[in-house]
Amino acid sequence: MAILIMPFDMMNTDRKIRGLTEAICKDACQYAYTYYRLQGKREESGENYDRRAMENIKGVFIGGAVGSFAVSRINADIKDKNIKNISGILSSCMSDGETICIRIDYKYSLPIGILGKNSIDQTVIASRRAWIGADGGKSGESGINDDEYVYIGKNATRYHIDRRCHYLYNDLQSASFSSVESLRNDNGARYHACERCGSQGGTTVYIMPSGTRYHFDPDCNAIIAYVQRVKRSEVEHLGVCSYCGGSH
């Protein structure tokens, strides 16, 4: 029985570790923007701009401490006595100036030794490009022309020149928290609490007709995540937004 159940427990633990690692990597990419901006201001001024803040942030992002942070979070949040020897030493953080890669290696203990093995080696990798404030690299090395890219929302009917055009968010609706259980989206499905801001609490929630989550924070990152950056040629048939396209 233990052998039959083991693969499911192992996959479930791997799923939890993978999800936690991805979340940490995504947040680290956003925090990296602080370091990049401070570094840019220091270079522009020719002085040691906010030197203490620079050194503190640099120690985290350039030193790769994000791997150790991920390990500490796994030890605290993942309750599985079969995981051991968790290591994030092979993680790298902006070693190339823009990429954050979290690699977690661990062993999953077997209830019964199989072919002389008492554990299985597992590896989880999350890799993302940091938010450094430039497209295609710190100085735009890729040669991508920003004019070729536009933004669309979920179920888009127009493409937008400005990522923050208010029409990308105008389907965000407010409702009382007490009524959210009775609300349904366009597909007739219930709304569930957002994984990011759903624990904040409050009397007012924010929903989208095409969404599946309710939010206590109208500026929640999960809402912004609906916006996608695409090539203009792929969505030319939609037509440009009348507001941010210049005709408003």
Side-chain angles (χ1 to χ4, degrees):
M1 182 64 70
I3 293 176
L4 290 175
I5 295 176
M6 179 201 65
F8 297 100
D9 289 338
M10 184 169 60
M11 287 188 294
N12 187 47
T13 296
D14 180 77
R15 177 184 60 81
K16 292 179 180 178
I17 294 177
R18 191 174 301 277
L20 183 59
T21 304
E22 286 285 356
I24 294 172
C25 188
K26 181 179 180 180
D27 288 342
C29 287
Q30 298 178 29
Y31 298 144
Y33 183 69
T34 304
Y35 169 75
Y36 184 76
R37 288 296 295 169
L38 287 177
Q39 186 182 45
K41 288 183 178 180
R42 183 185 66 175
E43 292 173 352
E44 291 172 5
S45 64
E47 301 175 356
N48 292 329
Y49 180 86
D50 203 348
R51 184 173 181 178
R52 178 175 296 180
M54 278 288 295
E55 291 303 317
N56 289 340
I57 298 173
K58 181 178 180 180
V60 174
F61 289 102
I62 302 302
V66 67
S68 299
F69 175 71
V71 171
S72 66
R73 283 287 305 276
I74 292 171
N75 284 324
D77 297 352
I78 308 299
K79 306 301 181 183
D80 189 333
K81 62 182 180 181
N82 293 313
I83 56 176
K84 60 181 182 180
N85 297 348
I86 306 173
S87 173
I89 193 171
L90 295 180
S91 300
S92 63
C93 199
M94 298 182 70
S95 58
D96 62 351
E98 61 182 41
T99 304
I100 296 178
C101 179
I102 303 178
R103 171 170 172 163
I104 301 298
D105 296 295
Y106 67 97
K107 293 183 180 293
Y108 195 90
S109 298
L110 302 175
I112 301 174
I114 300 177
L115 299 178
K117 292 181 66 72
N118 295 317
S119 63
I120 296 178
D121 294 333
Q122 297 282 77
T123 298
V124 169
I125 298 176
S127 180
R128 291 173 179 256
R129 180 171 176 269
W131 291 20
I132 59 173
D135 293 331
K138 292 185 294 181
S139 302
E141 298 95 334
S142 65
I144 295 176
N145 184 353
D146 288 340
D147 292 337
E148 296 179 357
Y149 287 84
V150 293
Y151 304 92
I152 60 172
K154 194 172 184 180
N155 301 325
T157 58
R158 292 286 186 273
Y159 67 82
H160 303 262
I161 305 301
D162 184 358
R163 189 185 192 283
R164 297 190 176 277
C165 176
H166 75 88
Y167 278 122
L168 285 172
Y169 305 96
N170 67 355
D171 61 346
L172 189 65
Q173 303 172 1
S174 62
S176 64
F177 176 61
S178 59
S179 66
V180 73
E181 286 292 331
S182 61
L183 299 177
R184 299 293 184 271
N185 65 14
D186 287 344
N187 295 321
R190 295 175 180 269
Y191 289 96
H192 302 282
C194 169
E195 290 80 358
R196 285 184 172 269
C197 66
S199 61
Q200 292 183 7
T203 58
T204 302
V205 295
Y206 301 88
I207 59 174
M208 292 184 180
S210 59
T212 58
R213 297 290 186 268
Y214 63 82
H215 308 265
F216 286 107
D217 181 3
D219 296 320
C220 176
N221 287 341
I223 297 175
I224 299 176
Y226 282 115
V227 182
Q228 299 181 45
R229 180 175 179 266
V230 297
K231 289 185 176 181
R232 186 198 298 265
S233 59
E234 296 176 355
V235 293
E236 194 77 45
H237 63 282
L238 294 177
V240 66
C241 167
S242 61
Y243 188 85
C244 65
S247 61
H248 186 274

